[in-house]
Amino acid sequence: MAKVLLGFMGAGKSTIARELDPNYIDMDVLIEKRLGMSIAEFFAEKGEDAFRQIESEVLAELLKTEQVVSTGGGVVISQRNRDLLKTNSDNIYLKADFETLYQRISADNNNQRPLFLSKTKEELQKIFQERESWYEEVASKVVDVTRLSPEEIAEELR
């Protein structure tokens, strides 16, 4: 069973995954390697439906492993992905309020997220609110990451 980290962008999925296991799998990086292009380029060329299909195939494979997996923030959009996640008993939702996440995303100059660059704050908040219930629907554990350091979160999850 995989240890799957879920949450909106800025929640710290990759950072926490790295703390838990330096050999963690970043799902978006794995998908980009398979596609031979960035997710943004694939979206532009083939569309979201084609991307979600590949995302589901990769998720299904990863759930059969013992790996720590950092998912993309939109993995819960697809009903198929939520159904797959419900078969896994170790899904951790890294939860924070929107303002905290927005501040983190704004301050992260090393990771300019396409969704952040193309949407207003209000549009991002609407996306966050839409996804929040889906994260909770598939989570076996919810960790409030608002005021904890990555080390404290990783310690709690060990």
Side-chain angles (χ1 to χ4, degrees):
M1 159 192 58
K3 183 181 285 292
V4 180
L5 302 182
L6 302 159
F8 201 66
M9 63 181 113
K13 297 179 297 292
S14 297
T15 303
I16 305 309
R18 195 176 300 110
E19 285 284 329
L20 291 170
D21 180 359
N23 299 314
Y24 79 100
I25 304 287
D26 183 310
M27 204 168 141
D28 284 348
V29 170
L30 181 60
I31 290 170
E32 286 181 339
K33 281 184 187 164
R34 290 216 182 152
L35 297 174
M37 65 176 79
S38 74
I39 290 171
E41 290 170 316
F42 188 82
F43 249 77
E45 277 185 34
K46 308 273 187 186
E48 183 174 358
D49 288 344
F51 171 75
R52 295 294 169 206
Q53 176 62 40
I54 290 164
E55 182 183 55
S56 292
E57 291 166 11
V58 170
L59 179 62
E61 288 171 28
L62 291 174
L63 291 178
K64 294 175 187 166
T65 72
E66 299 290 319
Q67 295 285 150
V68 172
V69 178
S70 170
T71 60
V75 73
V76 294
I77 291 171
S78 154
Q79 181 65 56
R80 179 166 179 223
N81 288 353
R82 292 195 306 274
D83 291 342
L84 284 167
L85 286 162
K86 287 176 191 173
T87 69
N88 190 63
S89 62
D90 201 5
N91 299 324
I92 300 136
Y93 171 28
L94 302 178
K95 182 176 182 156
D97 63 274
F98 178 75
E99 281 304 319
T100 299
L101 296 171
Y102 191 80
Q103 293 309 317
R104 289 180 186 174
I105 300 162
S106 301
D108 189 355
N109 296 322
N110 297 326
N111 186 4
Q112 292 296 299
R113 296 160 172 90
L115 198 60
F116 174 72
L117 297 173
S118 67
K119 304 284 185 196
T120 66
K121 183 176 181 181
E122 292 71 28
E123 289 170 322
L124 282 174
Q125 187 162 18
K126 186 174 185 291
I127 292 167
F128 168 78
Q129 289 167 338
E130 213 171 65
R131 293 180 184 178
E132 201 170 19
S133 63
W134 291 331
Y135 294 131
E136 290 175 2
E137 174 187 329
V138 300
S140 50
K141 182 174 180 119
V142 178
V143 178
D144 186 334
V145 298
T146 308
R147 290 176 182 79
L148 298 174
S149 72
E151 297 78 20
E152 290 168 322
I153 296 161
E155 191 56 40
E156 184 175 326
L157 295 175
R158 286 193 187 98

